[in-house]
Amino acid sequence: MYSFEIVRPTSLADAVAALGQDEAQALAGGQTLIPSLKQRLAQPSVLVSLTAIAEMQGVSAEGGVLTLGGGTTHGTVAREAAAHYPALAALASNIGDPAVRNRGTVGGSLANNDPAACYPAAALASGATIVTNGREIAMEDYFQGMFTTALEEGEIITAVRFPIPEKAAYIKFEQPASRFALVGVFVAKFADGVRVAVTGASEEGVFRWTEAEEALSGNFSATALDGLTASADGLMSDIHGSAPYRAHLIGVLTKRAVAAAA
């Protein structure tokens, strides 16, 4: 580790001001950033902790929309979202281990956009909206590739709004050491159709499997996916699984998610 300053603002306005300093970087739960600092992959001179900002925390539901503060931990989502959006709460309850779930945050996960993270699949399948300190970003415009989002420098995710579907489920095939998704599939059924988002598989990060969405929008059952296969083009291939293997998992896990949601 190297020397740096850390500031802990208690308001969003103070956090935005602090991030305006040269080489300043936001620190949410630190589950990705701290290891990056240790490896010198990131070397900010100032860390701006977001953990003491009350206005960025909490879970609420109104008008068919679940709102999560950007600083809300996975553990809090697992406990407090269960009554409103069970599939999202179940996803949060299976992220990492207790230490990760009690430090990692929704906003931190979505801002980092790790290609194997779980929240991007939930956000994309739900058609969520990212709320920052300066604007709102539709989910279709937010994810822009591996570790890349529409966030601008110094922009903070203050909240995420999840429309609550009629039915939903998330199934992931875990890499056992990290508990990240080798492949994860989130299926959400709304009145106007079905959305299917896949994480852990693509070289470009989370994506929607539109062919499955079309099949399921006409018949929301696992049998609607019979004979449908995901393409291996553009999927990751590594020591944990080849691209064709991940393509096979997408089909298997999507069927399981539909069965769990139904």
Side-chain angles (χ1 to χ4, degrees):
M1 189 61 78
Y2 65 97
S3 297
F4 54 82
E5 295 182 12
I6 185 166
V7 295
R8 198 164 184 259
T10 56
S11 72
L12 181 59
D14 288 345
V16 172
L19 285 171
Q21 302 177 70
D22 290 338
E23 298 183 356
Q25 189 165 345
L27 172 66
Q31 302 307 297
T32 298
L33 181 56
I34 297 302
S36 297
L37 297 179
K38 291 179 178 179
Q39 297 177 55
R40 304 298 176 93
L41 297 176
Q43 298 187 53
S45 59
V46 179
L47 288 182
V48 181
S49 174
L50 307 178
T51 59
I53 303 175
E55 61 193 291
M56 287 179 54
Q57 300 176 18
V59 176
S60 63
E62 184 177 0
V65 176
L66 179 73
T67 300
L68 306 180
T72 307
T73 65
H74 312 319
T76 300
V77 176
R79 293 188 301 272
E80 299 185 11
H84 310 289
Y85 197 159
L88 185 61
L91 175 152
S93 70
N94 200 36
I95 293 175
D97 55 27
V100 170
R101 291 192 291 273
N102 285 291
R103 290 296 300 175
T105 66
V106 177
S109 176
L110 291 171
N112 188 53
N113 191 21
D114 189 295
C118 297
Y119 274 112
L124 188 57
S126 302
T129 299
I130 300 290
V131 182
T132 77
N133 53 295
R135 57 177 173 153
E136 298 183 1
I137 309 172
M139 196 49 55
E140 303 301 331
D141 301 322
Y142 180 73
F143 296 115
Q144 299 184 354
M146 186 182 294
F147 297 109
T148 306
T149 71
L151 293 176
E152 298 175 353
E153 187 173 351
E155 197 167 15
I156 300 172
I157 296 178
T158 59
V160 187
R161 297 179 185 145
F162 289 84
I164 301 173
E166 297 174 349
K167 300 177 180 180
Y170 176 66
I171 303 291
K172 72 174 175 178
F173 189 89
E174 295 179 353
Q175 200 285 336
S178 67
R179 298 193 71 181
F180 273 100
L182 189 65
V183 173
V185 178
F186 199 107
V187 173
K189 181 183 183 299
F190 292 89
D192 59 353
V194 178
R195 295 169 68 99
V196 178
V198 181
T199 189
S202 174
E203 295 175 345
E204 295 300 317
V206 66
F207 68 95
R208 287 173 64 182
W209 187 15
T210 54
E211 292 85 357
E213 292 177 345
E214 293 170 1
L216 292 169
S217 292
N219 175 21
F220 191 71
S221 70
T223 58
L225 300 171
D226 288 346
L228 191 64
T229 57
S231 172
D233 293 344
L235 299 189
M236 290 188 285
S237 186
D238 54 28
I239 61 172
H240 304 297
S242 65
Y245 180 63
R246 280 184 163 90
H248 173 72
L249 281 177
I250 291 171
V252 171
L253 298 183
T254 302
K255 282 189 172 184
R256 292 180 182 177
V258 172

